[in-house]
Amino acid sequence: MKLEGMHHITMITGDAERNVEFYADVLGLRLVKKTVNFDAPEAYHLYFGDEAGSPGSLLTWFEFAGGRRGRAGAGMIHTIQLAVASGASLDFWAERLATKGYARERDERSLSFEDCDGLRFELVVADDGNPPLRAWHPEVPTDHAILGIEGARAYVAEGPEADRDLLAGTLGFDDVGNGEYRLEGEARHFRWGYDITGQRGFPGAGTVHHIAWHSRDEDHVAWQERVAQAGMQVTPVIDRDYFRSIYFRQPQGILFEIATTSPGFAVDEDSERLGEELRLPKQHEHLRALLEHRLTPLTNPRIALRQEA
Ligand code: ZN
């Protein structure tokens, strides 16, 4: 039994409108689902990814409207690495971010920047085989599109050995040394690394809420059993409509989820129109009028692009 790499990473934004503008316009990802936080339905949950909303491409946000910025500290992810195809792609993004007014830093192998909430990203050249997971955007040439999520780095207080047993023993990561791990699925891999800090973090806009690893549907319950056997406090299987999930905290405080492949984002919307309408889980459908009134209206830029085409 193997995990298939990373499924999604979920963050907090203080402003859903700016979030859509940054990810669906500036970065050219597709807004593939506009829904609410199932556990707190007065807040948006927005999913961005490739054309199909494939696991491995998904960046998602809870909105805490007007919420203050947080800060990454021990037990929190601080940087997300996105793949591009080449050095020329790094040049393209350096120029595009500058044109859009975002500070960025280029070195030989990467381009770093912060999003509209101060969350740190690195674009890196993907040179070892993750299949490309692209979205289409009229201003982003296919050759330079973002190709999926390549890795992430987290701060820990005690040193990476604190969860080596969980990662390498229970979850099947390869320990590649220096606090770095690699999760090798059948189709995709993911780089996971730790940096030691004494800094205390606090949640808020621009911080990461959790990371989800990708399980094949048929293995999900077995993962839950294996994680429980390793002594973790793991939740029951929770139906998230687009996948099924379990959650547990790794020993240094980072919230882990394991999510299934199915059913995916086309379960309640035509695949041509993903992310265009507000979708609510059935337990919150009775709140639709209230939520549509309260939530800031958000237009998926795809609607206009589809109508032009
Ligand atoms: Zn999640």
Side-chain angles (χ1 to χ4, degrees):
M1 188 168 75
K2 273 171 114 176
L3 289 169
E4 282 301 309
M6 196 277 311
H7 189 287
H8 65 270
I9 306 180
T10 295
M11 279 68 70
I12 296 166
T13 177
D15 185 334
E17 245 178 314
R18 286 181 67 204
N19 181 255
V20 170
E21 190 187 303
F22 188 75
Y23 289 95
D25 181 22
V26 178
L27 289 195
L29 302 180
R30 185 174 190 181
L31 173 58
V32 292
K33 194 61 65 181
K34 185 164 72 170
T35 183
V36 295
N37 182 338
F38 286 17
D39 301 322
E42 63 286 356
Y44 271 125
H45 191 180
L46 305 174
Y47 290 78
F48 300 84
D50 71 348
E51 282 302 299
S54 309
S57 74
L58 297 167
L59 296 170
T60 97
W61 275 267
F62 296 134
E63 184 197 31
F64 293 122
R68 65 167 192 162
R69 280 194 180 188
R71 183 181 74 182
M76 295 166 78
I77 291 170
H78 63 78
T79 300
I80 297 170
Q81 294 160 333
L82 304 177
V84 292
S86 66
S89 305
L90 297 179
D91 296 338
F92 168 83
W93 286 105
E95 196 180 319
R96 182 166 172 83
L97 287 164
T99 306
K100 301 282 183 182
Y102 286 86
R104 73 280 185 271
E105 214 173 293
R106 170 78 199 267
D107 66 23
E108 211 180 312
R109 305 274 310 157
S110 70
L111 178 76
S112 309
F113 60 91
E114 290 183 356
D115 80 350
C116 46
D117 287 302
L119 176 65
R120 191 163 185 279
F121 282 86
E122 261 175 29
L123 295 186
V124 295
V125 176
D127 51 7
D128 61 353
N130 264 336
L133 299 175
R134 288 188 189 88
W136 172 81
H137 187 285
E139 293 170 9
V140 180
T142 310
D143 288 351
H144 298 325
I146 288 166
L147 304 177
I149 308 168
E150 189 75 9
R153 300 193 66 86
Y155 284 134
V156 288
E158 294 170 47
E161 56 283 351
D163 72 347
R164 184 175 293 134
D165 286 352
L166 173 69
L167 290 178
T170 305
L171 299 178
F173 286 60
D174 296 320
D175 182 349
V176 295
N178 291 326
E180 304 204 347
Y181 293 85
R182 188 178 162 104
L183 182 55
E184 196 76 51
E186 293 291 330
R188 293 190 73 76
H189 65 258
F190 190 76
R191 305 175 199 187
W192 176 239
Y194 290 124
D195 299 293
I196 297 176
T197 184
Q199 175 168 285
R200 226 183 99 247
F202 47 92
T207 64
V208 177
H209 190 271
H210 65 267
I211 186 164
W213 311 110
H214 180 194
S215 160
R216 288 189 297 203
D217 295 346
E218 61 270 29
D219 295 339
H220 198 234
V221 170
W223 280 115
Q224 185 197 31
E225 284 163 10
R226 190 185 281 193
V227 168
Q229 275 161 13
M232 301 288 125
Q233 291 283 338
V234 59
T235 65
V237 174
I238 300 173
D239 182 0
R240 295 302 189 192
D241 282 16
Y242 310 109
F243 41 84
R244 296 184 305 284
S245 294
I246 56 170
Y247 301 84
F248 55 101
R249 240 171 240 287
Q250 59 80 275
Q252 310 222 58
I254 304 167
L255 184 59
F256 279 2
E257 173 181 350
I258 297 179
T260 56
T261 313
S262 301
F265 292 100
V267 70
D268 63 354
E269 253 173 335
D270 187 297
S271 59
E272 295 299 308
R273 299 188 174 208
L274 293 179
E276 294 190 6
E277 302 292 331
L278 178 67
R279 309 306 308 184
L280 297 174
K282 49 185 176 310
Q283 67 270 30
H284 298 320
E285 192 56 57
H286 69 284
L287 299 172
R288 178 172 287 276
L290 178 75
L291 292 173
E292 284 182 341
H293 176 70
R294 278 214 192 140
L295 292 164
T296 315
L298 283 181
T299 305
N300 191 331
R302 271 305 171 88
I303 298 174
L305 295 174
R306 187 165 50 73
Q307 285 164 352
E308 276 167 28

